[in-house]
């Protein structure tokens, strides 16, 4: 399915925008580069193919270009097509023979669209509403490309969306230009080549001089007729005379052509063309091609005994066994009738028929003369026929889409054993390069988008996401169903068009369903959501009437992404800012109830502090940089109502200059602020606390200052940050306890997530191999345009346990190479998410993890708990829990973002802290009242059991964040580093990690667990350029981190492990990029690491025939993450008796020699 997205490139940069930028045009839709497009069948997500339900191109009516539904696109004065491709020399060739429509042409009349004065009114697009008769030379043309309508105006014929079957009967050989160029097979029923006519026993060919236009394609039968008209015949020619070279294309020959299928060990098929004789075959259809695609076998398939232990000798000898693996089989295509009666239902038609059919009205009158409608199915019969393969059924599906199907099934059978068979797969793209056009790629892309759009999962998926964003994080199944139904029906109450996918109907359901409007649900502690930080700022700004300064035209906020984790258009991944399935750790009521809270993924200490400081600053000083403000410009940093130098300020308080008595005035102020900022949800307790603070401030500083105090306090409440209210007990929440060291020697583990899927087979590369084969050569051939030159690799010291004795690393990995060669770093090769040991034949049934998906595989690498036996926890959190049970004091920290890896079991440890890579910011450095912190803690006091779970999560997080922020601020303010860390994301994170390690004494820590991350590794394009930068940044970060810890004398006490969602495909994708794969290569480093080793098993066959390789070079891991973290946990000091709790899936790997002893990985002390 991923092959659908090959062949795309960025549009040309716009002169006023991207001309001087490095990233190009990322705004306009991408363009299709047809030559890059994968040419083979593509499976869909429901057990079929993209292209099912579309008519076969061979079944379109003859001269489709004159039939009902034929479409023409205006080219203007340009005579070369846009959706097809001509030789570039055509553009300026004045000798070109154009397809000029005759004066009496019905097509010319339709394209002219003359007004009452006879002047042509050319439309941008014209679709024929009825069949047209041919005139003059039109009658000799099988298909059109560009037509000349006179006056220097041209139209391009746009063929209807149709598909070709991958295998077909009676294939004929065609030759491109001359014998020394490509030969190929072609379907004689498709107009894909021109005539090449020879005299008897001659090999010099000629085109019929009466051909209609240059680059004209004709049917095989038409080509034969044109040769016969010259007293010549089609021939197996060497060259074509009397025709300019650029006007030559593919030409029919008299030779036949065999279409074979190559079957790999997984049952995937590759097409092989075998003409009777040829000089050259294009690599994508020759015997060595690896362009496998999925086919649906009716039962068993031929397997080579070399590939699998229970092979069937390539179909018991029906096929030829290849020495390199796989089988080559001759094929026979059989067409059969499906229905001999009227189908019983629409569903029966949709489940049994896959070949589409064209509009019966486009065929000659009388071709389909009878029709019958039963069971909501209409059948069209050819004249004088009953139910045959040519019968057409018309139905409307549940989404109100109309389909026509041909009553036919095409089966590809293996010659020699007809029991080995599969459905003939369709494809929009032609295997012929010249016919694999941008137009066909566009049709294929549209079909894929339709497949997404109409998929049964789309409506509930969108419903859940829309509800989560707009109403509640955990909607009921009934709520989701109602919104999904509105999407599919296109109607909700009286809103909507009645068309599938109507967003107006969907949004109406989201905001109108009972769970969105029922006031009684406000008392449900688990119904609600967090408010996104950006929406909190927006709500504050709009509700309190932000007004720009006199010289400011546009109000904008600086660096919100760094400060609060969110900013318009600045999301880190394609999944936006929040993970829909994110669950807070089990120490919270939300986590204990296994509910999700997507926005809480950004709920961390530094972002919380900076969000609150920024909103306080905006409230007190206007929009400027004072005390953590959201604008970098200076303004008055005194709370004196002087906003003259601010970019903007809140003006709502000016409306409250009233003479009422203080208490009444306070009620009015807080009541309105509650309405504006919390939708009136402010609890009675918090209302009174804020009103009292307002009244206390009012006589001292006046209304404006008191108003600002009330606003700031409301901004700290659970009611502002969530859609819930609170039921306070009045008791203060307990402060987090100060950890106390037990005196156990300090150790730390640092996990570094390379987000997006790092191309780690370009991190560790075969270099020198004196074994059976040259693995670097195989690497170079498989990786193609994304391979690293051998001379650029940095050679590592020899190893003895791998397919090669010497490996090299990426040229940017200078520090990595040095640490490996100095014995401080090792590699885990072909490592990744594994639910159990498996192989390429069984991985799909052995794996519960959703493979190849960023979010799920990142979660899997962090949790290492595929069967959710320790639900909601991560591997670092479980290591911490085990150490705590030993009596050790162990901290857990995630830098910049919440991480599943650091979550432990409820009640064992406090939640992991989330730190900012740039340090700790003091909270509310210039408070509006001396007792303001005490008041804030009152507003976030402990709550009753029936209080909202989300509001409780905010209050608990906020009070802990304030306490921990104060401690860390006081501790880290004295910590410095001796190493100059690069000013880059991961380097800054590791610098913060180094400072935290340096503060272990003040924190009373026996050990620490850290999670860091670096994104940008999803390199679907320009892989070499992107990884050169990314790997260089990684290497610099690792080097600076090592240098700093060595200087502090703790390098021997620290282990850093890298992980990633997955590696990348070894095969490039045609866009200088690589796609999602599986197993990869990862480093483990530290002073205690027994370095210079490569653990695990590097694949000894990188081709798709390799026993560990899926299609396009996706390696099945040999080593699971359990192996890496079992050894690491043992080094950290966790006893082996606790390993089943740390690694709940250990029992799935019973083989004793599967595990790598910790003593092989570390110098154990």
């Amino acid at each position: 399915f991923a092959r659908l997205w090959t062949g795309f490139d960025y549009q040309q940069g716009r002169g006023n925008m991207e001309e001087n930028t490095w990233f190009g045009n990322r705004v306009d839709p991408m363009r299709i580069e047809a030559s890059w497009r994968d040419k083979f069948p593509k499976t869909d997500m429901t057990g079929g193919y993209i292209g099912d339900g579309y008519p076969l191109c061979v079944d379109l009516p003859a001269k489709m270009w004159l039939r009902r539904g034929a479409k023409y696109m205006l080219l203007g004065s340009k005579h070369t097509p846009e959706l097809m491709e001509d030789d570039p020399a055509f553009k300026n060739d004045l000798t070109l023979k154009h397809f000029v429509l005759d004066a009496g042409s019905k097509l010319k009349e339709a394209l002219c669209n003359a007004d009452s004065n006879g002047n042509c009114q050319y439309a941008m697009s014209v679709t024929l509403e009825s069949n047209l008769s041919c005139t003059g030379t039109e009658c000799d043309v099988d298909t059109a490309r560009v037509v000349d309508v006179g006056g220097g105006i041209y139209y391009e014929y746009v063929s209807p969306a149709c598909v070709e079957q991958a295998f077909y009967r009676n294939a004929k050989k065609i030759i491109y230009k001359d014998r020394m160029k490509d030969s190929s097979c072609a379907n004689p029923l498709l107009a894909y080549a021109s005539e090449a006519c020879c005299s008897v026993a001659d090999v010099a060919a000629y085109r019929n001089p009466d051909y209609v236009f240059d680059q004209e394609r004709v049917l095989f039968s038409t080509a034969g007729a044109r040769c016969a008209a010259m007293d010549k015949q089609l021939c197996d020619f060497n060259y074509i005379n009397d025709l300019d070279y650029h006007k030559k294309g593919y030409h029919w020959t008299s030779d036949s052509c065999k279409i074979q299928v190559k079957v790999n060990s997984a049952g995937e098929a590759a097409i092989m063309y075998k003409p009777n004789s040829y000089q050259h075959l294009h690599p994508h259809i020759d015997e060595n091609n690896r362009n496998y695609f999925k086919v649906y076998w009716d039962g068993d398939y031929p397997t080579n005994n070399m590939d699998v232990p229970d092979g069937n000798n390539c179909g018991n000898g029906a096929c030829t066994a290849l020495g390199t693996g796989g089988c080559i089989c001759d094929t026979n295509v059989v067409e059969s009738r499906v229905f001999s009666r009227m189908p019983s239902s629409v569903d029966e038609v949709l489940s049994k028929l896959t070949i589409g059919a064209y509009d019966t009205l486009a065929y000659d009158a009388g071709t389909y003369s009878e029709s019958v409608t039963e069971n909501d199915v209409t059948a069209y019969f050819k004249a004088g026929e009953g139910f045959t393969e040519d019968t057409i059924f018309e139905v409307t599906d549940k989404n109100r889409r109309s389909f026509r199907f041909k009553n036919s099934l095409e089966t590809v059978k293996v010659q020699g054993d007809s029991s080995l068979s599969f459905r003939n797969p369709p494809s929009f793209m032609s295997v012929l390069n010249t016919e694999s056009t941008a137009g066909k790629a566009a049709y294929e892309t549209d079909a894929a988008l339709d497949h997404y759009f109409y998929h049964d999962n789309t409506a509930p998926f969108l419903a859940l996401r829309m509800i989560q964003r707009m109403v509640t994080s955990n909607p009921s199944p009934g709520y989701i169903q109602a919104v999904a139904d509105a999407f599919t029906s296109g109607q909700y109450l009286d809103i909507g068009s009645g068309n599938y996918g109507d967003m107006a109907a969907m949004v109406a359901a989201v905001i109108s369903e009972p769970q969105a409007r029922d006031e009684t649900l406000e008392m449900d502690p688990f119904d609600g959501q967090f408010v996104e930080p950006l929406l909190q700022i927006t709500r504050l700004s709009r509700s309190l009437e932000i007004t720009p300064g006199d010289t400011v035209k546009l109000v904008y906020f600086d660096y919100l992404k760094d400060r609060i984790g969110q900013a318009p258009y600045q999301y880190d991944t394609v999944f936006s800012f929040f993970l829909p399935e994110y669950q807070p750790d089990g120490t919270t009521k939300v986590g204990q109830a296994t509910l999700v809270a997507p926005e809480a993924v950004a709920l961390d200490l530094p972002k919380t502090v900076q969000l609150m400081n920024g909103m306080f600053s905006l409230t007190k000083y206007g929009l400027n940089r004072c005390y953590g403000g959201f604008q970098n410009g200076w303004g008055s940093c005194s709370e004196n109502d002087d906003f003259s130098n601010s970019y903007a300020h809140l003006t709502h308080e000016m409306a409250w200059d009233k003479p009422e008595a203080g208490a009444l005035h306070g009620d009015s102020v807080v009541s309105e602020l509650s309405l504006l900022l919390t939708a009136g949800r402010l609890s009675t307790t918090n209302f009174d606390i804020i009103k009292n603070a307002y009244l206390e401030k009012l006589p001292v500083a006046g209304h404006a200052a008191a108003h600002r105090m009330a606003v700031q306090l409301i901004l700290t409440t659970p009611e502002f940050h969530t859609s819930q209210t609170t039921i306070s007990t009045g008791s203060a929440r307990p402060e987090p306890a100060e950890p106390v060291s037990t005196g156990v020697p300090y150790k730390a583990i640092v996990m570094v997530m390379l987000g997006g899927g790092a191309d780690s087979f370009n991190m560790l590369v075969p270099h020198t191999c004196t074994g059976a084969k040259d693995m670097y050569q195989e690497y170079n051939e498989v990786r193609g345009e994304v391979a690293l030159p051998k001379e650029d690799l940095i050679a590592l010291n020899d190893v003895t346990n791998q397919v090669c004795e010497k490996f090299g690393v990426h040229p940017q990995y200078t520090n990595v190479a040095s640490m490996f060669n100095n014995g401080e770093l090792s590699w885990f090769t072909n490592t990744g998410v594994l639910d159990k040991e498996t192989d390429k034949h069984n991985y799909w049934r052995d794996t519960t993890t959703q493979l190849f998906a960023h979010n799920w595989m990142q979660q899997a690498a962090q949790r290492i708990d595929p069967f959710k036996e320790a639900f909601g926890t991560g591997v670092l959190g479980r290591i911490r829990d085990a150490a705590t049970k030993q009596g050790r004091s162990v901290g857990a920290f995630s830098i910049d973002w919440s991480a599943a890896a650091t979550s432990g079991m409820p009640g064992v440890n406090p939640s992991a802290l989330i730190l900012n890579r740039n340090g700790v910011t003091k909270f509310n450095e210039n408070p509006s009242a001396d007792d303001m912190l005490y008041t804030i803690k009152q507003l976030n006091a402990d709550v009753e059991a029936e209080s909202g779970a989300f509001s409780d999560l905010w209050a608990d997080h906020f009070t802990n964040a304030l306490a921990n922020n104060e401690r860390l601020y006081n501790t880290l303010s004295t910590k410095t580093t001796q190493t100059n860390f690069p000013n880059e994301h991961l380097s800054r994170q590791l610098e913060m990690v180094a400072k935290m390690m340096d503060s272990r004494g003040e924190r009373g820590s026996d050990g620490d667990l850290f999670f860091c991350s670096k994104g940008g590794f999803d390199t679907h394009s320009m892989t070499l350029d992107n990884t050169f930068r990314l790997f260089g940044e990684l290497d610099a970060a690792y080097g600076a981190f090592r240098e700093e810890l060595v200087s502090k004398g703790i390098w021997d006490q620290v282990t850093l492990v890298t992980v990633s969602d997955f590696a990348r495909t070894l095969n490039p994708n045609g866009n200088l990029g690589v796609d999602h794969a599986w197993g990869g290569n990862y480093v483990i480093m530290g002073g205690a690491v027994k370095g210079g080793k490569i653990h695990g098993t590097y694949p000894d066959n990188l081709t798709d025939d390799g026993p560990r390789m899926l299609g396009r070079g996706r390696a099945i891991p040999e080593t699971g993450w359990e192996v890496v973290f079992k050894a690491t946990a043992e080094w950290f000091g966790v006893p082996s008796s606790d390993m089943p709790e740390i690694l709940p899936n250990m029992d799935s790997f019973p083989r004793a020699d599967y595990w790598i002893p910790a003593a092989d990985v570390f110098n154990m002390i």
Side-chain angles (χ1 to χ4, degrees), residues 403-717:
F403 289 94
R404 300 184 190 90
F405 288 99
K406 186 181 180 184
N407 186 31
S408 172
L409 171 67
E410 286 195 13
T411 304
V412 180
K413 295 182 177 290
V414 171
Q415 289 189 19
D417 188 347
S418 60
S419 68
L420 303 172
S421 61
F422 56 86
R423 173 158 78 90
N424 203 356
S427 177
F428 284 93
M429 306 304 291
S430 173
V431 173
L432 290 177
N433 291 331
T434 57
E435 308 309 308
S436 189
T437 65
K440 293 178 180 179
Y443 281 138
E444 187 175 61
T445 302
D446 286 342
L449 294 176
D450 281 347
H451 187 61
Y452 280 130
F453 187 53
Y454 290 102
H455 194 282
D456 286 345
N457 288 352
T458 297
F461 176 87
L462 292 177
L464 174 58
R465 296 298 186 265
M466 293 286 284
I467 296 169
Q468 283 186 318
R469 292 273 64 77
M470 300 175 70
V471 179
T472 183
S473 294
N474 298 274
S476 67
Y479 189 7
I480 296 172
Q481 183 68 59
V483 176
D485 288 345
F487 181 85
T488 56
S489 68
Q491 195 78 35
Y492 185 80
L493 302 176
D494 60 347
I495 298 171
S497 63
N499 296 323
Y500 176 95
D502 190 298
M503 292 299 291
M506 185 181 198
V507 172
V510 169
I511 63 178
S512 302
E513 272 295 294
Q515 192 171 350
R517 301 175 63 84
D518 191 342
E519 292 183 4
T520 60
L521 288 174
E522 291 185 5
M523 303 307 295
D524 184 342
F526 299 113
D527 184 74
Q529 64 177 165
F530 275 89
V531 180
E532 301 174 36
L534 189 61
L535 293 186
Q536 294 176 21
I537 296 172
T538 303
R539 177 191 293 175
L540 172 64
S541 301
R542 289 181 173 175
S543 298
L544 301 193
E545 302 166 23
I546 193 168
T547 302
D550 293 339
T551 61
V552 177
K553 295 182 179 179
L554 179 67
V555 176
Y556 66 94
F557 301 84
D558 280 329
Y559 303 112
L560 285 184
K561 181 64 169 58
D562 291 335
R563 294 172 177 177
I564 68 170
Q566 193 181 19
Y569 313 116
Q570 294 183 33
Y571 38 84
D572 288 321
T573 75
V574 294
F575 302 104
S576 194
F577 301 101
F578 313 113
L579 295 175
E581 65 277 2
Y582 175 75
Q583 290 183 328
D585 66 52
T587 63
T588 67
K589 286 201 296 186
V590 177
Q592 291 166 5
T594 67
L595 299 178
V596 300
E599 299 83 2
V601 74
L603 203 63
D604 60 56
L605 184 155
K607 294 185 181 68
T608 298
V609 170
Q610 291 188 85
L611 172 66
M612 298 311 303
N613 283 349
M615 291 194 295
F616 284 1
S617 177
L618 177 61
T619 303
K620 294 190 290 186
Y621 315 117
L623 187 57
N624 56 44
R625 67 186 303 172
C626 294
Y627 298 103
F630 293 136
Q631 234 288 339
N632 279 346
W634 283 108
S636 173
C637 294
S638 297
E639 196 175 345
N640 55 11
D641 299 321
D642 178 12
F643 304 110
S644 58
N645 292 319
S646 296
Y647 281 73
H649 66 285
L650 306 177
T651 61
H652 176 267
E653 69 270 20
M654 301 308 175
W656 285 100
D657 186 14
K658 295 185 177 181
E660 295 103 331
L664 180 61
H665 190 56
D667 274 337
S668 300
V669 170
V670 178
S671 179
E672 174 139 339
L673 290 177
S674 173
L675 177 65
L676 292 172
L677 297 176
T678 73
R681 286 191 301 271
L682 203 58
S683 69
T684 302
T685 300
N686 283 352
F687 186 100
D688 290 340
I689 292 171
I690 295 169
K691 184 183 76 171
N692 291 336
Y694 173 87
L695 294 176
E696 184 177 337
K697 187 79 171 178
L698 185 63
V700 177
H703 163 70
H707 183 279
R708 289 193 293 270
M709 168 63 83
V711 171
Q712 291 176 79
L713 294 176
I714 288 179
L715 296 180
T716 70
T717 62

Side-chain angles (χ1 to χ4, degrees), residues 694-761:
Y694 173 87
L695 294 176
E696 184 177 337
K697 187 79 171 178
L698 185 63
V700 177
H703 163 70
H707 183 279
R708 289 193 293 270
M709 168 63 83
V711 171
Q712 291 176 79
L713 294 176
I714 288 179
L715 296 180
T716 70
T717 62
E719 293 93 333
F720 177 76
H721 290 271
T722 73
S723 63
Q724 293 183 319
T725 189
T726 60
I727 305 173
S728 175
T729 63
S731 301
R733 290 179 182 267
E735 295 274 330
E738 290 270 10
V740 179
S741 174
T742 62
V744 174
Y746 178 82
K747 287 186 178 181
I749 300 172
V750 183
M751 177 191 284
V752 176
M753 167 63 72
L754 309 180
D759 189 15
S760 54
F761 278 93

Side-chain angles (χ1 to χ4, degrees), residues 48 142 151 182 203 264 354 468 480 528 579 589 598 613 688 786 815 839 857 914 943 951 1022 1043:
D142 288 332
D182 288 345
V203 290
N264 68 12
T354 59
Q468 283 186 318
I480 296 172
L579 295 175
K589 286 201 296 186
N613 283 349
D688 290 340
V786 298
N815 287 306
D839 55 39
M857 293 193 75
I914 303 169
V943 295
S951 61
M1022 305 303 292
E1043 181 182 343

Side-chain angles (χ1 to χ4, degrees), residues 738-781:
E738 290 270 10
V740 179
S741 174
T742 62
V744 174
Y746 178 82
K747 287 186 178 181
I749 300 172
V750 183
M751 177 191 284
V752 176
M753 167 63 72
L754 309 180
D759 189 15
S760 54
F761 278 93
N762 267 11
M763 291 180 175
L764 184 68
V765 181
H767 188 279
T768 303
C769 314
T770 58
K773 62 179 175 180
D774 185 345
M775 284 299 298
Y776 174 80
Q777 181 63 30
E778 183 170 277
Y779 156 87
N780 190 58
E781 292 173 357

Side-chain angles (χ1 to χ4, degrees), residues 16-79:
N16 64 331
M17 288 291 291
E18 297 95 6
E19 193 172 61
N20 296 315
T21 61
W22 65 269
F23 49 81
N25 185 339
R26 302 264 176 147
V27 176
D28 293 332
M30 299 180 78
R31 64 181 180 87
I32 293 174
E33 182 64 49
S35 62
W36 298 353
R37 187 75 167 203
D38 182 271
K39 297 175 172 60
F40 299 97
K42 297 150 182 91
T43 50
D44 63 19
M45 296 182 288
T46 55
Y49 292 96
I50 297 297
D52 283 345
Y54 285 82
L56 301 181
C57 298
V58 295
D59 287 341
L60 295 179
K63 298 188 185 302
M64 181 62 225
W65 57 283
L66 289 173
R67 301 283 181 169
R68 169 188 169 94
K71 183 177 178 181
Y72 288 83
M73 182 174 67
L74 180 65
L75 296 174
S77 61
K78 179 174 176 283
H79 64 260

